[in-house]
Amino acid sequence: MSGAGSRSIVQGVVLVVAGLLFAVPLVASASFGFTLPAEGFTLTPIADAVADSGFGPQVLQSLALALLTTIASFALLIPTLVWLHLRARRWLPIAEALSVIPFVVPAVALVNGANLAFRLTVPGFLTSVYSLVPFYVILTLPLVYRALDTGLRAIDLNTLVTASASLGSGPIRTFFSIILPNLRPALLTAALLSFTMVLGEYVLATLLLHNTFPVFLVQIGQDRPRAAAALSLITIVGTWLMLSAFTGRGLARRRRGPAAPDAAVPVVAPILNPDVRISA
Amino acid sequence: MTTTSAEVTLRSIQKSFGRQTVLNDVDLTIRGGELLAVLGPSGCGKTTALRVIAGLERPDHGTVHIDNDDVTHRRIDKRGIGIVFQAYSLFPHQTAAENVAYGLRVRGTGRSSREARAAELLAMVGLADHGSKYPQQLSGGQQQRVALARAIAIEPRVLLLDEPLSALDAQVRVQLRDEIRRIQYEMGTTTVLVTHDQEEALSMADRVAVMRAGQVEQVGTPHEVYRRPATAFVSSFIGVVNRLSGRVVGGDRVLVLGQGLTLSTAGHSVGHVIAVLVRPEHLAIQRADASAADAATGVVTALTLRGAISSLTVLLPELPDTIRVDLPSREAQDFTRGDRVRVIVHAEDALIDASAVPSAAVRAGERAAA
Ligand SMILES: Nc1ncnc2c1ncn2[C@@H]1O[C@H](COP(=O)(O)OP(=O)(O)O)[C@@H](O)[C@H]1O
Ligand SMILES: [Mg+2]
């Protein structure tokens, strides 16, 4: 009895502390971004920021980058992982170990190496903002890999593929009408992780001199810190709402019945967005 | 409903994984329209044999024919095969009806006709009202019914069932056995059932192929493999068998428990001690005097009621293990633990002809079965 009681107290304390750690910076940046000393609540800073000529293009650019990065990661990783799970399971541990290398290599080292290599070989390549896509694919690889891998482990891939083949389905149809639909939750998780990371990535973009949304935030934060705080808060809350919408729909689907394999539920994503808060 | 009854022929099939030979020169014919059970202990290569028929494994040697069609090198999706797996093979994102209709969709059957067909098949497996449910809303037994309907929907030339009942509760299992048998009968589809459960094999199959360590030891009707097992392994794997020892006393005469029996002694010479295998129902007992002391007189150590029959365990003086005697329960109720009884080897023709196998070989067979 008392054991269970003290455990629930510990749980409560942990929850409150974690909640505070999570909420205090948000509340602080909200109060900083949406108030002015003389006026109280105000939308002036954010209106100024949005009115800035850089805002629209840079937001769109970042969204495009996020979309392209996600598509490229999926195109690269889904077939690879499906193949590994079906045909070469013993290579999975090696692939997994390789997938965390981007965590180990600092972004600065990555970009300097690439910079040097491309300047010498294809000097034009790095001038386009979309040259960031390959870097972002590498950067998001560890998380996207894990999300997809978890999703594949949650289904009995081999049996489903065999069943589909025995019903006369060729490999391509099986991939699109059996494998992908059952990976849905994992695909959502992976896409959201990838979006959040790209929408918050500052270091690579600024080193390669590209104007993305996080770069805009930092720039605007230099003269108008309140606007930057307000915008990053909106970004975080927006991401969070998007997540809730998706997971909420996932839950509704599950309640209605169809198997939603227990792939990683993407609650961690907003926390993995440190660069946005740098500017606040 | 079209009746497909293709004949499947495996010729000299050899399959190894690394250095392990899993199928060793398997020859097997599955006749058109029959249900053949492949029975054997776990790891003997049953699933591999099934996968070779399905086209999921390519044999290292040998051929697979469906009728006169050599399918050895044909991909699974071109073989016209229906498979039901052990469990959880339904597509989780599709309803029961969509699962059943999937194979028809692949074949380009129009929506309304495939929906009608799915409904018809679900009704056949007793799930008419469950078409709109998702797999996780169905019980294990219901899922296997849907899997069966899905496999049948494409009117396969051959239906392959890999331990389809082994994940289910005992009661559901027995019920589904009868149902699969009934449906297979109605459809007339040539069917291979892989199982390690001898009761399942004997109760469902037209013929049973008993496998051991990558080889087919015997193919026959359930009666044949039970009554006339070709090897000691078959006799000990199928049903219960008592191992008695006998002494060859003359050409085809063997002394077992002090009783002279006529048996084929397969070249053993007079004086040799051989293993004689007898089923529990081929033994009988009589009450014995307290003073009687011979090889056939022992003590009842346990009595188990099994419904219509009862099993008595008897300890005989010259045998290391107790033996089992099965009697109609009506007769068995006259005995209790501790009674002294005399064991009679019932009828000579009930003796199984693996009797001539030397005892060492019999023990090896039992180890493999364990
Ligand atoms: N893909 C494979 N790779 C390596 N060994 C395998 C493979 N498939 C089966 N085996 C081995 O072959 C043997 C027979 O397996 P299987 O056919 O599944 O037996 P059963 O179905 O009778 O239990 C087992 O020892 C198993 O470990
Ligand atoms: Mg098996």
Side-chain angles (χ1 to χ4, degrees):
Chain A
M1 266 313 286
S2 73
S6 67
R7 195 160 62 229
S8 73
I9 290 172
V10 170
Q11 281 172 352
V13 170
V14 168
L15 200 69
V16 168
V17 170
L20 284 177
L21 279 176
F22 185 70
V24 165
L26 292 181
V27 172
S29 70
S31 75
F32 180 68
F34 289 102
T35 59
L36 281 173
E39 306 171 27
F41 177 80
T42 174
L43 289 175
T44 315
I46 200 162
D48 287 351
V50 171
D52 191 293
S53 64
F55 177 78
Q58 281 170 261
V59 166
L60 285 181
Q61 201 142 67
S62 273
L63 284 174
L65 278 173
L67 188 67
L68 288 173
T69 302
T70 307
I71 291 172
S73 302
F74 281 6
L76 191 70
L77 283 178
I78 297 173
T80 310
L81 270 168
V82 166
W83 186 82
L84 283 171
H85 274 267
L86 280 177
R87 292 287 156 80
R89 288 196 76 90
R90 67 208 147 109
W91 294 104
L92 274 172
I94 294 171
E96 184 163 352
L98 287 177
S99 78
V100 296
I101 286 180
F103 272 164
V104 183
V105 179
V108 178
L110 177 68
V111 84
N112 281 334
N115 220 338
L116 203 64
F118 282 115
R119 293 262 139 86
L120 293 174
T121 53
V122 205
F125 175 66
L126 291 171
T127 59
S128 160
V129 69
Y130 297 109
S131 67
L132 283 170
V133 169
F135 294 105
Y136 286 173
V137 168
I138 294 172
L139 208 64
T140 55
L141 178 75
L143 294 173
V144 174
Y145 181 99
R146 250 149 213 78
L148 295 177
D149 191 52
T150 309
L152 282 165
R153 282 176 204 278
I155 57 179
D156 188 347
L157 186 67
N158 237 311
T159 306
L160 295 185
V161 167
T162 309
S164 175
S166 76
L167 294 166
S169 178
I172 291 175
R173 182 194 277 268
T174 297
F175 180 78
F176 285 104
S177 50
I178 302 298
I179 299 179
L180 282 190
N182 282 299
L183 281 182
R184 223 183 90 110
L187 294 178
L188 270 178
T189 310
L192 284 163
L193 287 172
S194 160
F195 257 78
T196 350
M197 275 190 87
V198 172
L199 290 183
E201 202 290 321
Y202 171 72
V203 179
L204 285 177
T206 191
L207 284 174
L208 289 171
L209 309 173
H210 292 302
N211 289 323
T212 59
F213 178 60
V215 172
F216 172 81
L217 277 183
V218 172
Q219 281 164 353
I220 207 171
Q222 282 160 8
D223 341 319
R224 279 172 287 178
R226 283 177 201 278
L231 268 184
S232 29
L233 184 76
I234 287 176
T235 312
I236 292 170
V237 172
T239 314
W240 183 76
L241 284 177
M242 200 157 68
L243 284 174
S244 327
F246 279 127
T247 38
R249 264 179 61 192
L251 287 179
R253 246 170 73 85
R254 198 174 309 202
R255 232 173 284 126
R256 205 186 74 220
D262 297 323
V265 177
V267 284
V268 287
I271 309 168
L272 292 166
N273 198 353
D275 294 338
V276 169
R277 258 176 280 153
I278 286 174
S279 58
Chain B
M1 230 171 268
T2 53
T3 297
T4 41
S5 46
E7 180 170 283
V8 180
T9 315
L10 303 184
R11 278 200 204 106
S12 318
I13 295 288
Q14 194 97 26
K15 178 72 194 175
S16 302
F17 292 111
R19 245 178 284 160
Q20 185 193 6
T21 300
V22 174
L23 295 178
N24 190 2
D25 202 23
V26 169
D27 282 295
L28 187 61
T29 299
I30 303 122
R31 297 176 190 151
E34 80 173 341
L35 192 159
L36 179 115
V38 176
L39 173 67
S42 176
C44 71
K46 306 180 296 292
T47 294
T48 306
L50 201 79
R51 290 172 62 86
V52 166
I53 298 174
L56 292 163
E57 301 286 356
R58 182 152 300 180
D60 302 328
H61 181 81
T63 57
V64 182
H65 284 79
I66 300 180
D67 285 336
N68 295 322
D69 196 3
D70 184 344
V71 297
T72 315
H73 299 287
R74 195 172 304 169
R75 246 170 42 186
I76 176 173
D77 48 310
K78 308 279 181 229
R79 282 196 190 193
I81 296 255
I83 309 185
V84 177
F85 303 87
Q86 191 167 340
Y88 315 121
S89 70
L90 294 182
F91 305 131
H93 65 298
Q94 294 182 349
T95 62
E98 285 164 355
N99 263 280
V100 175
Y102 181 76
L104 299 174
R105 207 171 87 198
V106 170
R107 275 161 181 68
T109 309
R111 187 190 188 89
S112 59
S113 68
R114 67 176 191 250
E115 277 173 1
R117 181 85 179 118
E120 189 185 319
L121 285 161
L122 282 171
M124 182 165 91
V125 297
L127 293 175
D129 300 331
H130 295 68
S132 59
K133 289 193 180 163
Y134 286 88
Q136 66 169 28
Q137 297 172 303
L138 299 169
S139 70
Q142 289 171 333
Q143 289 187 32
Q144 289 305 73
R145 286 163 197 260
V146 176
L148 182 65
R150 181 179 71 176
I152 289 173
I154 59 171
E155 290 173 13
R157 291 195 285 177
V158 184
L159 186 61
L160 305 176
L161 315 172
D162 190 359
E163 313 238 9
L165 306 177
S166 63
L168 305 177
D169 298 342
Q171 207 181 342
V172 182
R173 195 155 54 201
V174 171
Q175 190 188 348
L176 215 52
R177 248 185 222 168
D178 298 345
E179 210 153 331
I180 290 178
R181 185 68 247 226
R182 171 183 63 80
I183 290 165
Q184 192 273 340
Y185 227 73
E186 277 172 25
M187 305 285 301
T189 309
T190 308
T191 301
V192 183
L193 167 77
V194 157
T195 177
H196 65 267
D197 180 341
Q198 44 125 343
E199 204 182 307
E200 197 170 294
L202 296 184
S203 65
M204 290 175 73
D206 293 309
R207 290 194 308 148
V208 179
V210 185
M211 273 188 77
R212 173 198 188 186
Q215 286 182 307
V216 176
E217 294 237 327
Q218 186 177 6
V219 185
T221 64
H223 269 273
E224 281 163 1
V225 293
Y226 187 79
R227 298 297 294 267
R228 298 274 160 238
T231 66
F233 170 77
V234 174
S235 72
S236 54
F237 190 73
I238 295 181
V240 177
V241 73
N242 291 301
R243 201 170 58 249
L244 308 177
S245 78
R247 180 184 299 276
V248 180
V249 292
D252 289 353
R253 286 295 289 175
V254 182
L255 200 62
V256 183
L257 298 181
Q259 299 154 54
L261 305 174
T262 302
L263 278 178
S264 157
T265 50
H268 284 283
S269 40
V270 173
H272 271 186
V273 174
I274 59 173
V276 178
L277 305 173
V278 190
R279 301 255 182 231
E281 67 271 31
H282 299 147
L283 294 171
I285 53 173
Q286 292 174 343
R287 208 165 281 284
D289 295 339
S291 60
D294 57 78
T297 305
V299 180
V300 175
T301 58
L303 211 156
T304 312
L305 178 69
R306 298 180 190 277
I309 62 140
S310 289
S311 299
L312 284 85
T313 313
V314 180
L315 183 63
L316 291 173
E318 287 175 15
L319 289 176
D321 303 315
T322 56
I323 60 168
R324 178 172 142 185
V325 180
D326 285 353
L327 301 176
S329 295
R330 229 179 321 106
E331 297 169 28
Q333 68 185 2
D334 299 340
F335 297 92
T336 65
R337 233 172 84 100
D339 283 355
R340 285 186 66 76
V341 293
R342 184 181 162 73
V343 175
I344 298 153
V345 183
H346 206 278
E348 295 192 5
D349 67 349
L351 272 175
I352 49 189
D353 58 9
S355 58
V357 175
S359 38
V362 173
R363 265 184 237 114
E366 287 225 322
R367 254 198 314 277

